[in-house]
Amino acid sequence: MSHYILIHGAWHNGSAFNALKTVLEDRGHTVTAPTLPGHKPNDPDRISITFHDYLNAVKKVVETSASPANKAILVGHSSAGFLLQSIAADVEDFLEELVFINAWLLPNGTSQADAIQAADPQAWTNFKNAATQASDNCIPVIESFVRGMLMGGDTAAQQDDLLNILVPQPLALMEHPIDCDGFAELEVPKTLIHCKVDTSLPQGAYIGMANQNLGSYDLIHIDTGHEGIFTHPAMVAGALEKAAVL
């Protein structure tokens, strides 16, 4: 049996993993799924969150829920990918494996904002303008983006359920350049779980980022969209179990 630490990405919080956590626990595993700083509903501290707050939170949860004697599988979904890139070297002794689920993986010294601007300058302009107009300087939950891109192909009911738990996103997560020199050479095994029907980026984008920035890794394909962690928890759980034995 494994211990999984599930790290959410932008706009999400730990509750997005509730169903996945239940499936894994029912199969005998243990699971930690924290909510990162600024991501609680109505969080008053959202406006002041820094990138280092995110890193410190991930590091703390790894060090308090795992140990060198009882290692964990650290899982990052979407924007959590580059958080794991940034922190993995600091907690390498605590990790059995790193797993990325359609995750943003970045070159050292760059930010997610850089990657978005390179791919679609107008998309980043829209995000930035929305944050500037918001009282908390965060990117609000944009319903059309969730329905049309993050959850394109999912049912309206599933989209409604996820929209009910999403929160505004502090800009710090996306704008801060990452420091992950040497990440690709870490000896911790790495796996990409590729959600094949993801409409959030062009086909092949997540595998392309992994090929460029992950180093040696195993690849598992599953028939879900970007929010498979929420819409298809049993399928994702099976992929996580497969990753643990590759």
Side-chain angles (χ1 to χ4, degrees):
M1 297 296 104
S2 300
H3 178 59
Y4 294 94
I5 301 174
L6 309 178
I7 306 299
H8 65 79
W11 291 285
H12 291 58
N13 51 59
S15 68
F17 291 117
N18 283 353
L20 176 57
K21 183 174 184 287
T22 297
V23 173
L24 288 169
E25 290 175 339
D26 286 347
R27 296 181 182 183
H29 306 287
T30 55
V31 181
T32 302
T35 291
L36 298 180
H39 285 251
K40 296 177 182 177
N42 303 315
D43 197 322
D45 296 327
R46 190 171 290 131
I47 194 171
S48 61
I49 294 302
T50 70
F51 190 74
H52 291 290
D53 291 329
Y54 283 103
L55 298 187
N56 291 337
V58 176
K59 183 178 180 181
K60 182 177 180 180
V61 75
V62 172
E63 293 178 340
T64 56
S65 64
S67 71
N70 296 284
K71 297 186 179 184
I73 296 175
L74 183 59
V75 182
H77 174 243
S78 194
S79 296
F82 55 86
L83 290 178
L84 271 55
Q85 284 181 275
S86 302
I87 204 66
D90 292 341
V91 293
E92 182 177 5
D93 291 343
F94 293 75
L95 302 180
E96 177 182 342
E97 185 172 3
L98 287 160
V99 179
F100 302 87
I101 304 175
N102 273 29
W104 286 78
L105 296 158
L106 306 175
N108 187 48
T110 68
S111 69
Q112 188 178 25
D114 294 331
I116 296 172
Q117 285 179 308
D120 187 347
Q122 188 58 51
W124 179 249
T125 297
N126 293 343
F127 283 150
K128 188 75 172 181
N129 288 343
T132 300
Q133 295 169 17
S135 60
D136 57 5
N137 198 36
C138 293
I139 306 170
V141 178
I142 302 171
E143 182 175 348
S144 60
F145 171 70
V146 175
R147 294 190 188 276
M149 297 190 70
L150 292 185
M151 300 192 77
D154 294 320
T155 68
Q158 290 172 324
Q159 294 169 358
D160 290 343
D161 288 343
L162 185 66
L163 281 163
N164 285 335
I165 68 171
L166 299 182
V167 300
Q169 175 57 52
L171 282 171
L173 177 68
M174 297 182 177
E175 290 191 322
H176 196 284
I178 66 168
D179 181 1
C180 65
D181 189 35
F183 166 77
E185 286 73 42
L186 287 179
E187 295 184 1
V188 178
K190 307 179 190 78
T191 298
L192 174 68
I193 296 176
H194 178 233
C195 305
K196 294 194 297 182
V197 292
D198 191 336
T199 59
S200 65
L201 288 177
Q203 281 295 314
Y206 290 104
I207 291 178
M209 285 190 281
N211 288 343
Q212 293 173 18
N213 304 299
L214 202 51
S216 177
Y217 71 96
D218 292 309
L219 178 62
I220 298 171
H221 296 283
I222 56 175
D223 290 315
T224 74
H226 192 73
E227 299 296 338
I229 61 163
F230 187 80
T231 60
H232 294 81
M235 191 181 297
V236 175
L240 288 171
E241 290 179 316
K242 182 177 180 180
V245 298
L246 286 176

